[in-house]
Structure formats: structure tokens, C-alpha cells
Amino acid sequence: MKQTKISPRHPRAASLMIREKLIEGFRNGVVATAGLLAHGRGEAFDYLLGEKTTSNALKAIKAAAAILLTTKHPVISINGNAAALVAKDIVKLAKECNARIEVNLFHRSPEREVAIAKLLQEAGAKEVLGVGEASSARIPEVASERRRVDPKGILIADAVLVPLEDGDRTQALRKMGKSVIAIDLNPLSRTAQFATVTIVDNIVRAMPALTKTAAKLRKGDKGNLRKLASSFDNKQNLSEAIRMMNKRLAAIAAKGTYLTILEESEI
Ligand code: PTJ
């Protein structure tokens, strides 16, 4: 099937182009079928958020960068959607924070592991953990294939970044004493609720913002960064994210038409 050409003049061009990237990833064996469904759910929450990086997300991004810069073994866990959407940003962030990159899939297959690793290598990754026999360790209390991890990566990590996660592993990683940073547009998801820091934002905006923030903060004092990380209250930040969505919907409801709000832009 031919790829749909999206006109840049289409009012929803940016969103449609992201979809095309995922469809291409699906055709290349990178994205799982369920990854397309997951994206649809994300899009719905992005609508509620106003499709922008909020001040609330920026607060979480700062805390996440502080964690990645002050832990000894930070690991970025990669699934199909993350690889298809932000492979280059993943590599940049890993370099900035001295983090390792590990493939970790819910719908695991040897073919998908290899396809994702290849995409990351083409984006500049020198090392990709978790592929094939390398994912020989298991994390307890996880029923899915996500339990298979690399002994050089997630198993010994003290911080794990999990973009677009599906739930129970975040809880298990926390129980193992690790800090978990989630990127999830749904503030109500189990992952969002269990993570140490949840960035409620679209991965396509959050990853470049996180990389930029890490580049800025890495020159700073480590003690201050540790304070920044430990003073972050995820529960409070998530409540604020939900309140922001609520406030935005209330303002739209008061005006009666969403398009008017869009034309007036920011709320
Ligand atoms: O590649 P695999 O095999 O590891 O599978 C990956 C998916 C995403 C299919 C798997 O992890 C899954 O089923 O995830 P869920 O349970 O559907 O959760 C995905 C979460 O990511 C949901 O809460 C979505 O709202 C959110 N989400 C979807 N797209 C984005 C997003 N969050 C941020 N940015 C997005 N672009």
C-alpha cells in the first residue's frame, strides 16, 4: 500500500504526519498492531491537553532530567512507538545523560527487536541493549514479555525512562527500588500513577524538551539537581495536569464551540 501524502496546508497536518510515521513503522515491523491503537488513545488525551507542552509537563521534565543526570545507571527503555516516533531524540538524550538504550517490548518478537535496534542504530545509537539473548534476566512480578531485561541495562539500572508504557512493569521497577520516569499523555494510566515522575505530554514534544533541559542542567551543581529531583511530588503534579485538562474543557464548554477556541489559540 502506498503512503498517504499529507499536505502541509491541511489544518491537522502535524498530527496526520505523526500518524503516517507510525503507519510506516507498522509496515516496517517496528510498531505493534496494538501500538496504533495506543496512539489513538494518546491523541485523544492530547486534544484535552491542547496539543502543547504545558507548564506542568515542563516541571516534570526538569525533575526527570535531574534524575537522569544524577543516577549512576540511567536506562531509556524503548518500545515500537517510541522508536518509530523519536529515534533520533532517544539517541541525543542518551548521549546527554550518559544513559544506555534498551529495547523492551510488550509484544516481543525477535524480528521486532532487530527492526527497532536497526532503526536506533541508523539514528546514531552505538549500543542497543536487550536484543535477543541479551535480554536474559527477568524482573519479578511482571506477567508480560516486558519482564525480560538485559543484565547490563534495566536489571541494574537505578533510573528507567519508560515512554508509552503499559502498566505493571512500572510498579515492579519501583518495587525494585528504581526511579521510573514515564512519558504518558494519559494522567490516569497505571503507569502515570505509579511512576516517580510522569511527564504528561506527547512523546514527540517531550523528548526534545527533555534533551534540551538535560543539556542545560548538566552543567549545574549535582547537589542542587538531587534536591530538584527529590522535591518533586508526582501525585501533586498529576492532580495539576488533570485540573488543567478540566479547566480547558470548562472554558471550551463555556464558549460552546471548540473551533472558536482553536482560532483564539491559547487557553
Ligand atoms: O512496542 P510494544 O510491543 O512494547 O508495545 C507498545 C504499546 C504502546 C502497544 C504497549 O506498551 C501498550 O499496549 O501500551 P498501552 O497500554 O496502550 O499504553 C500506552 C499509553 O501511552 C497510553 O496511556 C496512551 O495514552 C499513551 N500514549 C499513546 N501515544 C502517546 C502516548 N503518550 C505520549 N505520547 C504519545 N505519542
Short mmCIF file of all heavy atoms in Angstrom, two decimals, residues 204-266:
data_model
loop_
_atom_site.label_atom_id
_atom_site.label_comp_id
_atom_site.label_asym_id
_atom_site.label_seq_id
_atom_site.Cartn_x
_atom_site.Cartn_y
_atom_site.Cartn_z
N VAL A 204 6.52 13.16 21.16
CA VAL A 204 7.19 13.92 20.10
C VAL A 204 7.58 15.32 20.56
O VAL A 204 8.50 15.92 20.02
CB VAL A 204 6.36 14.01 18.78
CG1 VAL A 204 6.05 12.64 18.22
CG2 VAL A 204 5.09 14.80 18.97
N ARG A 205 6.89 15.84 21.57
CA ARG A 205 7.29 17.15 22.13
C ARG A 205 8.17 16.95 23.36
O ARG A 205 9.11 17.71 23.61
CB ARG A 205 6.04 17.96 22.52
CG ARG A 205 5.13 18.32 21.38
CD ARG A 205 4.03 19.28 21.83
NE ARG A 205 3.18 18.72 22.86
CZ ARG A 205 2.04 18.07 22.63
NH1 ARG A 205 1.60 17.91 21.41
NH2 ARG A 205 1.34 17.58 23.62
N ALA A 206 7.83 15.94 24.17
CA ALA A 206 8.52 15.75 25.45
C ALA A 206 9.99 15.36 25.28
O ALA A 206 10.85 15.86 26.02
CB ALA A 206 7.80 14.68 26.27
N MET A 207 10.29 14.51 24.31
CA MET A 207 11.69 14.04 24.18
C MET A 207 12.65 15.16 23.80
O MET A 207 13.69 15.31 24.45
CB MET A 207 11.78 12.87 23.19
CG MET A 207 11.35 11.55 23.78
SD MET A 207 12.36 10.98 25.17
CE MET A 207 13.76 10.34 24.30
N PRO A 208 12.33 15.99 22.79
CA PRO A 208 13.25 17.11 22.50
C PRO A 208 13.36 18.08 23.69
O PRO A 208 14.45 18.57 23.99
CB PRO A 208 12.63 17.81 21.29
CG PRO A 208 11.63 16.87 20.73
CD PRO A 208 11.24 15.91 21.80
N ALA A 209 12.24 18.30 24.38
CA ALA A 209 12.27 19.23 25.53
C ALA A 209 13.13 18.65 26.66
O ALA A 209 13.89 19.37 27.32
CB ALA A 209 10.85 19.49 26.02
N LEU A 210 13.02 17.35 26.86
CA LEU A 210 13.80 16.70 27.91
C LEU A 210 15.30 16.76 27.58
O LEU A 210 16.14 17.04 28.46
CB LEU A 210 13.32 15.24 28.05
CG LEU A 210 13.94 14.36 29.13
CD1 LEU A 210 13.88 15.01 30.50
CD2 LEU A 210 13.24 12.99 29.16
N THR A 211 15.63 16.56 26.33
CA THR A 211 17.04 16.60 25.90
C THR A 211 17.60 18.01 26.09
O THR A 211 18.71 18.20 26.61
CB THR A 211 17.14 16.18 24.40
OG1 THR A 211 16.45 14.95 24.25
CG2 THR A 211 18.58 16.02 23.98
N LYS A 212 16.81 19.01 25.69
CA LYS A 212 17.25 20.41 25.83
C LYS A 212 17.46 20.76 27.30
O LYS A 212 18.45 21.38 27.68
CB LYS A 212 16.16 21.31 25.22
CG LYS A 212 16.70 22.55 24.55
CD LYS A 212 15.62 23.20 23.74
CE LYS A 212 15.53 24.66 24.11
NZ LYS A 212 14.36 25.32 23.57
N THR A 213 16.53 20.32 28.13
CA THR A 213 16.62 20.62 29.57
C THR A 213 17.83 19.92 30.18
O THR A 213 18.56 20.51 30.98
CB THR A 213 15.32 20.16 30.28
OG1 THR A 213 14.22 20.77 29.62
CG2 THR A 213 15.30 20.55 31.74
N ALA A 214 18.06 18.66 29.78
CA ALA A 214 19.22 17.93 30.31
C ALA A 214 20.52 18.63 29.91
O ALA A 214 21.45 18.75 30.72
CB ALA A 214 19.19 16.49 29.81
N ALA A 215 20.57 19.11 28.67
CA ALA A 215 21.79 19.79 28.19
C ALA A 215 22.05 21.05 29.04
O ALA A 215 23.20 21.37 29.34
CB ALA A 215 21.62 20.16 26.72
N LYS A 216 20.97 21.73 29.41
CA LYS A 216 21.12 22.95 30.22
C LYS A 216 21.54 22.61 31.65
O LYS A 216 22.44 23.20 32.22
CB LYS A 216 19.77 23.67 30.26
CG LYS A 216 19.83 25.08 29.65
CD LYS A 216 18.61 25.84 30.00
CE LYS A 216 17.76 26.09 28.75
NZ LYS A 216 16.41 26.51 29.07
N LEU A 217 20.86 21.59 32.22
CA LEU A 217 21.07 21.29 33.65
C LEU A 217 22.38 20.56 33.92
O LEU A 217 22.88 20.59 35.04
CB LEU A 217 19.91 20.44 34.19
CG LEU A 217 18.55 21.12 34.32
CD1 LEU A 217 17.55 20.17 34.96
CD2 LEU A 217 18.63 22.40 35.13
N ARG A 218 22.92 19.88 32.94
CA ARG A 218 24.09 19.03 33.22
C ARG A 218 25.31 19.83 33.70
O ARG A 218 26.20 19.30 34.36
CB ARG A 218 24.44 18.13 32.04
CG ARG A 218 25.00 18.86 30.84
CD ARG A 218 25.30 17.89 29.73
NE ARG A 218 26.47 17.09 30.01
CZ ARG A 218 27.01 16.21 29.18
NH1 ARG A 218 26.42 15.99 28.03
NH2 ARG A 218 28.09 15.56 29.47
N LYS A 219 25.31 21.13 33.38
CA LYS A 219 26.43 21.97 33.83
C LYS A 219 26.24 22.39 35.28
O LYS A 219 27.14 22.93 35.92
CB LYS A 219 26.54 23.21 32.94
CG LYS A 219 26.94 22.87 31.52
CD LYS A 219 26.60 23.99 30.55
CE LYS A 219 26.49 23.45 29.14
NZ LYS A 219 25.41 24.06 28.38
N GLY A 220 25.04 22.16 35.81
CA GLY A 220 24.72 22.65 37.17
C GLY A 220 25.28 21.77 38.28
O GLY A 220 25.82 20.69 38.04
N ASP A 221 25.14 22.28 39.51
CA ASP A 221 25.64 21.59 40.70
C ASP A 221 24.82 20.30 40.95
O ASP A 221 23.58 20.33 40.96
CB ASP A 221 25.49 22.57 41.88
CG ASP A 221 25.84 21.93 43.18
OD1 ASP A 221 27.03 21.62 43.35
OD2 ASP A 221 24.93 21.70 44.00
N LYS A 222 25.52 19.18 41.18
CA LYS A 222 24.83 17.88 41.34
C LYS A 222 23.93 17.88 42.58
O LYS A 222 22.86 17.29 42.58
CB LYS A 222 25.86 16.74 41.46
CG LYS A 222 26.50 16.36 40.13
CD LYS A 222 25.71 15.23 39.47
CE LYS A 222 26.35 14.62 38.26
NZ LYS A 222 26.49 15.40 37.05
N GLY A 223 24.39 18.55 43.65
CA GLY A 223 23.60 18.61 44.88
C GLY A 223 22.26 19.30 44.62
O GLY A 223 21.20 18.83 45.07
N ASN A 224 22.30 20.39 43.88
CA ASN A 224 21.06 21.10 43.54
C ASN A 224 20.15 20.24 42.68
O ASN A 224 18.92 20.25 42.84
CB ASN A 224 21.38 22.40 42.79
CG ASN A 224 21.91 23.46 43.72
OD1 ASN A 224 21.76 23.36 44.95
ND2 ASN A 224 22.58 24.46 43.17
N LEU A 225 20.77 19.48 41.78
CA LEU A 225 19.96 18.61 40.90
C LEU A 225 19.27 17.53 41.73
O LEU A 225 18.10 17.20 41.51
CB LEU A 225 20.83 17.96 39.83
CG LEU A 225 21.31 18.86 38.69
CD1 LEU A 225 22.12 18.05 37.68
CD2 LEU A 225 20.13 19.49 37.97
N ARG A 226 20.00 16.98 42.71
CA ARG A 226 19.41 15.94 43.58
C ARG A 226 18.24 16.53 44.36
O ARG A 226 17.20 15.88 44.51
CB ARG A 226 20.46 15.37 44.54
CG ARG A 226 21.25 14.29 43.88
CD ARG A 226 22.12 13.47 44.81
NE ARG A 226 23.16 12.88 43.98
CZ ARG A 226 24.38 13.35 43.82
NH1 ARG A 226 24.76 14.42 44.48
NH2 ARG A 226 25.24 12.77 43.01
N LYS A 227 18.42 17.77 44.82
CA LYS A 227 17.33 18.42 45.56
C LYS A 227 16.12 18.61 44.65
O LYS A 227 14.98 18.36 45.04
CB LYS A 227 17.82 19.80 46.06
CG LYS A 227 18.05 19.81 47.58
CD LYS A 227 18.37 21.19 48.07
CE LYS A 227 19.77 21.21 48.67
NZ LYS A 227 20.41 22.51 48.69
N LEU A 228 16.39 19.05 43.44
CA LEU A 228 15.31 19.26 42.46
C LEU A 228 14.53 17.96 42.25
O LEU A 228 13.30 17.94 42.26
CB LEU A 228 15.96 19.71 41.15
CG LEU A 228 15.16 20.52 40.13
CD1 LEU A 228 16.12 21.11 39.10
CD2 LEU A 228 14.08 19.78 39.44
N ALA A 229 15.28 16.86 42.10
CA ALA A 229 14.63 15.56 41.85
C ALA A 229 13.82 15.11 43.07
O ALA A 229 12.67 14.68 42.94
CB ALA A 229 15.67 14.52 41.49
N SER A 230 14.42 15.24 44.26
CA SER A 230 13.74 14.66 45.44
C SER A 230 12.56 15.52 45.90
O SER A 230 11.67 15.03 46.58
CB SER A 230 14.74 14.45 46.59
OG SER A 230 15.24 15.70 46.98
N SER A 231 12.55 16.79 45.52
CA SER A 231 11.43 17.63 45.98
C SER A 231 10.22 17.53 45.03
O SER A 231 9.17 18.10 45.30
CB SER A 231 11.88 19.10 46.08
OG SER A 231 12.26 19.55 44.80
N PHE A 232 10.36 16.79 43.95
CA PHE A 232 9.24 16.67 43.00
C PHE A 232 8.16 15.75 43.56
O PHE A 232 8.44 14.65 44.01
CB PHE A 232 9.75 16.13 41.66
CG PHE A 232 8.68 16.03 40.61
CD1 PHE A 232 8.29 17.15 39.88
CD2 PHE A 232 8.04 14.82 40.36
CE1 PHE A 232 7.30 17.06 38.91
CE2 PHE A 232 7.04 14.72 39.40
CZ PHE A 232 6.67 15.84 38.69
N ASP A 233 6.92 16.23 43.51
CA ASP A 233 5.79 15.45 44.03
C ASP A 233 4.91 15.02 42.85
O ASP A 233 4.15 15.83 42.30
CB ASP A 233 5.00 16.33 45.03
CG ASP A 233 3.86 15.57 45.67
OD1 ASP A 233 3.40 14.56 45.10
OD2 ASP A 233 3.42 15.99 46.76
N ASN A 234 5.03 13.75 42.46
CA ASN A 234 4.32 13.30 41.26
C ASN A 234 2.80 13.34 41.41
O ASN A 234 2.09 13.69 40.48
CB ASN A 234 4.76 11.89 40.86
CG ASN A 234 4.54 11.62 39.39
OD1 ASN A 234 4.79 12.49 38.55
ND2 ASN A 234 4.04 10.44 39.06
N LYS A 235 2.35 12.99 42.60
CA LYS A 235 0.90 12.95 42.83
C LYS A 235 0.31 14.35 42.62
O LYS A 235 -0.70 14.53 41.94
CB LYS A 235 0.65 12.50 44.27
CG LYS A 235 -0.39 11.42 44.37
CD LYS A 235 -0.46 10.86 45.74
CE LYS A 235 -1.82 10.21 45.89
NZ LYS A 235 -2.14 9.93 47.25
N GLN A 236 1.02 15.32 43.21
CA GLN A 236 0.55 16.71 43.12
C GLN A 236 0.60 17.19 41.66
O GLN A 236 -0.32 17.85 41.18
CB GLN A 236 1.47 17.57 43.98
CG GLN A 236 0.92 18.95 44.28
CD GLN A 236 1.98 19.76 45.01
OE1 GLN A 236 2.62 19.26 45.94
NE2 GLN A 236 2.19 20.98 44.59
N ASN A 237 1.68 16.83 40.97
CA ASN A 237 1.82 17.26 39.57
C ASN A 237 0.75 16.63 38.67
O ASN A 237 0.24 17.28 37.76
CB ASN A 237 3.23 16.94 39.06
CG ASN A 237 3.72 17.98 38.08
OD1 ASN A 237 3.76 19.17 38.40
ND2 ASN A 237 4.06 17.57 36.89
N LEU A 238 0.43 15.36 38.95
CA LEU A 238 -0.61 14.70 38.16
C LEU A 238 -1.98 15.33 38.41
O LEU A 238 -2.77 15.52 37.48
CB LEU A 238 -0.68 13.21 38.50
CG LEU A 238 0.36 12.31 37.84
CD1 LEU A 238 0.27 10.90 38.41
CD2 LEU A 238 0.17 12.27 36.33
N SER A 239 -2.23 15.68 39.68
CA SER A 239 -3.50 16.34 40.00
C SER A 239 -3.61 17.63 39.22
O SER A 239 -4.67 17.97 38.66
CB SER A 239 -3.59 16.68 41.49
OG SER A 239 -3.50 15.51 42.23
N GLU A 240 -2.49 18.35 39.15
CA GLU A 240 -2.48 19.63 38.43
C GLU A 240 -2.74 19.40 36.93
O GLU A 240 -3.47 20.17 36.29
CB GLU A 240 -1.13 20.30 38.65
CG GLU A 240 -1.11 21.77 38.29
CD GLU A 240 0.29 22.32 38.46
OE1 GLU A 240 0.76 22.39 39.61
OE2 GLU A 240 0.92 22.66 37.43
N ALA A 241 -2.15 18.33 36.38
CA ALA A 241 -2.35 18.02 34.95
C ALA A 241 -3.83 17.76 34.68
O ALA A 241 -4.40 18.25 33.69
CB ALA A 241 -1.51 16.81 34.55
N ILE A 242 -4.47 17.01 35.57
CA ILE A 242 -5.90 16.70 35.40
C ILE A 242 -6.74 17.98 35.53
O ILE A 242 -7.66 18.23 34.76
CB ILE A 242 -6.35 15.61 36.40
CG1 ILE A 242 -5.59 14.31 36.11
CG2 ILE A 242 -7.86 15.37 36.34
CD1 ILE A 242 -5.64 13.27 37.22
N ARG A 243 -6.36 18.81 36.51
CA ARG A 243 -7.08 20.09 36.70
C ARG A 243 -6.94 20.97 35.46
O ARG A 243 -7.89 21.63 35.05
CB ARG A 243 -6.54 20.83 37.93
CG ARG A 243 -7.32 20.50 39.21
CD ARG A 243 -7.10 21.56 40.27
NE ARG A 243 -5.70 21.72 40.60
CZ ARG A 243 -5.04 21.00 41.50
NH1 ARG A 243 -5.68 20.06 42.18
NH2 ARG A 243 -3.77 21.20 41.73
N MET A 244 -5.76 20.98 34.83
CA MET A 244 -5.54 21.81 33.63
C MET A 244 -6.44 21.36 32.49
O MET A 244 -7.03 22.17 31.79
CB MET A 244 -4.07 21.70 33.18
CG MET A 244 -3.16 22.63 33.93
SD MET A 244 -1.46 22.41 33.36
CE MET A 244 -1.14 24.05 32.75
N MET A 245 -6.55 20.03 32.32
CA MET A 245 -7.43 19.50 31.26
C MET A 245 -8.88 19.91 31.55
O MET A 245 -9.62 20.34 30.67
CB MET A 245 -7.34 17.96 31.21
CG MET A 245 -6.06 17.44 30.61
SD MET A 245 -6.08 15.63 30.56
CE MET A 245 -4.49 15.31 29.83
N ASN A 246 -9.23 19.77 32.82
CA ASN A 246 -10.58 20.09 33.26
C ASN A 246 -10.91 21.57 33.00
O ASN A 246 -11.97 21.91 32.46
CB ASN A 246 -10.64 19.78 34.77
CG ASN A 246 -12.05 19.62 35.26
OD1 ASN A 246 -12.97 19.57 34.44
ND2 ASN A 246 -12.22 19.56 36.56
N LYS A 247 -9.96 22.42 33.34
CA LYS A 247 -10.14 23.87 33.19
C LYS A 247 -10.30 24.22 31.70
O LYS A 247 -11.14 25.03 31.32
CB LYS A 247 -8.90 24.56 33.76
CG LYS A 247 -9.08 26.03 34.05
CD LYS A 247 -7.87 26.58 34.76
CE LYS A 247 -7.68 28.04 34.38
NZ LYS A 247 -6.32 28.50 34.54
N ARG A 248 -9.48 23.57 30.89
CA ARG A 248 -9.53 23.83 29.46
C ARG A 248 -10.89 23.41 28.89
O ARG A 248 -11.51 24.14 28.13
CB ARG A 248 -8.39 23.07 28.78
CG ARG A 248 -8.23 23.43 27.35
CD ARG A 248 -6.91 23.00 26.77
NE ARG A 248 -6.91 23.39 25.38
CZ ARG A 248 -7.48 22.70 24.41
NH1 ARG A 248 -8.07 21.57 24.70
NH2 ARG A 248 -7.46 23.13 23.17
N LEU A 249 -11.36 22.22 29.31
CA LEU A 249 -12.66 21.75 28.83
C LEU A 249 -13.78 22.67 29.29
O LEU A 249 -14.70 22.97 28.54
CB LEU A 249 -12.91 20.32 29.32
CG LEU A 249 -12.16 19.22 28.61
CD1 LEU A 249 -12.52 17.86 29.19
CD2 LEU A 249 -12.45 19.23 27.12
N ALA A 250 -13.67 23.15 30.54
CA ALA A 250 -14.71 24.04 31.07
C ALA A 250 -14.76 25.33 30.26
O ALA A 250 -15.84 25.84 29.94
CB ALA A 250 -14.42 24.33 32.54
N ALA A 251 -13.58 25.85 29.89
CA ALA A 251 -13.53 27.09 29.10
C ALA A 251 -14.14 26.87 27.72
O ALA A 251 -14.89 27.71 27.21
CB ALA A 251 -12.09 27.57 28.98
N ILE A 252 -13.84 25.70 27.12
CA ILE A 252 -14.38 25.39 25.79
C ILE A 252 -15.90 25.22 25.90
O ILE A 252 -16.66 25.76 25.08
CB ILE A 252 -13.73 24.10 25.22
CG1 ILE A 252 -12.26 24.36 24.92
CG2 ILE A 252 -14.46 23.63 23.97
CD1 ILE A 252 -11.45 23.10 24.64
N ALA A 253 -16.34 24.54 26.94
CA ALA A 253 -17.78 24.32 27.13
C ALA A 253 -18.50 25.65 27.32
O ALA A 253 -19.59 25.86 26.79
CB ALA A 253 -18.01 23.41 28.34
N ALA A 254 -17.86 26.58 28.03
CA ALA A 254 -18.48 27.88 28.29
C ALA A 254 -18.66 28.65 26.98
O ALA A 254 -19.65 29.34 26.78
CB ALA A 254 -17.63 28.67 29.27
N LYS A 255 -17.70 28.52 26.08
CA LYS A 255 -17.78 29.23 24.79
C LYS A 255 -18.72 28.50 23.84
O LYS A 255 -19.23 29.08 22.90
CB LYS A 255 -16.40 29.29 24.15
CG LYS A 255 -15.46 30.23 24.87
CD LYS A 255 -15.01 31.30 23.93
CE LYS A 255 -14.11 32.27 24.69
NZ LYS A 255 -13.75 33.40 23.86
N GLY A 256 -18.87 27.20 24.02
CA GLY A 256 -19.81 26.43 23.21
C GLY A 256 -19.21 25.88 21.93
O GLY A 256 -19.76 24.98 21.35
N THR A 257 -18.09 26.44 21.46
CA THR A 257 -17.52 25.88 20.24
C THR A 257 -16.01 25.76 20.33
O THR A 257 -15.30 26.69 20.68
CB THR A 257 -17.91 26.66 18.96
OG1 THR A 257 -16.83 26.57 18.02
CG2 THR A 257 -18.22 28.11 19.22
N TYR A 258 -15.56 24.58 19.99
CA TYR A 258 -14.14 24.27 20.07
C TYR A 258 -13.34 25.06 19.03
O TYR A 258 -12.26 25.53 19.28
CB TYR A 258 -13.95 22.77 19.85
CG TYR A 258 -12.54 22.31 19.98
CD1 TYR A 258 -11.84 22.50 21.16
CD2 TYR A 258 -11.88 21.70 18.92
CE1 TYR A 258 -10.53 22.08 21.30
CE2 TYR A 258 -10.57 21.27 19.05
CZ TYR A 258 -9.90 21.47 20.24
OH TYR A 258 -8.60 21.06 20.36
N LEU A 259 -13.96 25.24 17.83
CA LEU A 259 -13.24 25.91 16.76
C LEU A 259 -12.91 27.36 17.12
O LEU A 259 -11.84 27.86 16.83
CB LEU A 259 -14.02 25.84 15.46
CG LEU A 259 -14.01 24.45 14.82
CD1 LEU A 259 -14.86 24.42 13.57
CD2 LEU A 259 -12.59 24.02 14.49
N THR A 260 -13.84 28.03 17.79
CA THR A 260 -13.59 29.41 18.23
C THR A 260 -12.35 29.43 19.11
O THR A 260 -11.47 30.27 18.96
CB THR A 260 -14.79 29.95 19.05
OG1 THR A 260 -15.95 29.51 18.43
CG2 THR A 260 -14.74 31.44 19.20
N ILE A 261 -12.29 28.47 20.02
CA ILE A 261 -11.16 28.39 20.94
C ILE A 261 -9.87 28.17 20.16
O ILE A 261 -8.86 28.81 20.40
CB ILE A 261 -11.35 27.21 21.93
CG1 ILE A 261 -12.59 27.42 22.78
CG2 ILE A 261 -10.11 27.01 22.79
CD1 ILE A 261 -12.46 28.38 23.91
N LEU A 262 -9.93 27.27 19.17
CA LEU A 262 -8.73 26.99 18.37
C LEU A 262 -8.25 28.24 17.67
O LEU A 262 -7.05 28.53 17.63
CB LEU A 262 -9.03 25.92 17.33
CG LEU A 262 -8.96 24.48 17.78
CD1 LEU A 262 -9.24 23.56 16.61
CD2 LEU A 262 -7.59 24.16 18.36
N GLU A 263 -9.20 29.01 17.10
CA GLU A 263 -8.81 30.22 16.39
C GLU A 263 -8.21 31.25 17.34
O GLU A 263 -7.26 31.94 17.02
CB GLU A 263 -10.01 30.81 15.64
CG GLU A 263 -10.16 30.14 14.27
CD GLU A 263 -11.58 30.05 13.81
OE1 GLU A 263 -12.40 30.87 14.25
OE2 GLU A 263 -11.89 29.13 13.02
N GLU A 264 -8.76 31.31 18.54
CA GLU A 264 -8.20 32.25 19.52
C GLU A 264 -6.90 31.72 20.10
O GLU A 264 -6.22 32.39 20.85
CB GLU A 264 -9.21 32.47 20.65
CG GLU A 264 -10.37 33.35 20.21
CD GLU A 264 -11.44 33.41 21.28
OE1 GLU A 264 -11.19 32.94 22.41
OE2 GLU A 264 -12.51 33.93 20.98
N SER A 265 -6.62 30.49 19.76
CA SER A 265 -5.39 29.81 20.20
C SER A 265 -5.38 29.49 21.68
O SER A 265 -6.28 28.83 22.16
CB SER A 265 -4.18 30.59 19.76
OG SER A 265 -3.04 29.83 20.00
N GLU A 266 -4.39 29.98 22.39
CA GLU A 266 -4.06 29.51 23.75
C GLU A 266 -5.18 29.67 24.77
O GLU A 266 -5.85 30.66 24.81
CB GLU A 266 -2.84 30.27 24.27
CG GLU A 266 -1.64 30.12 23.39
CD GLU A 266 -1.01 28.74 23.48
OE1 GLU A 266 -0.38 28.46 24.51
OE2 GLU A 266 -1.19 27.96 22.53
#
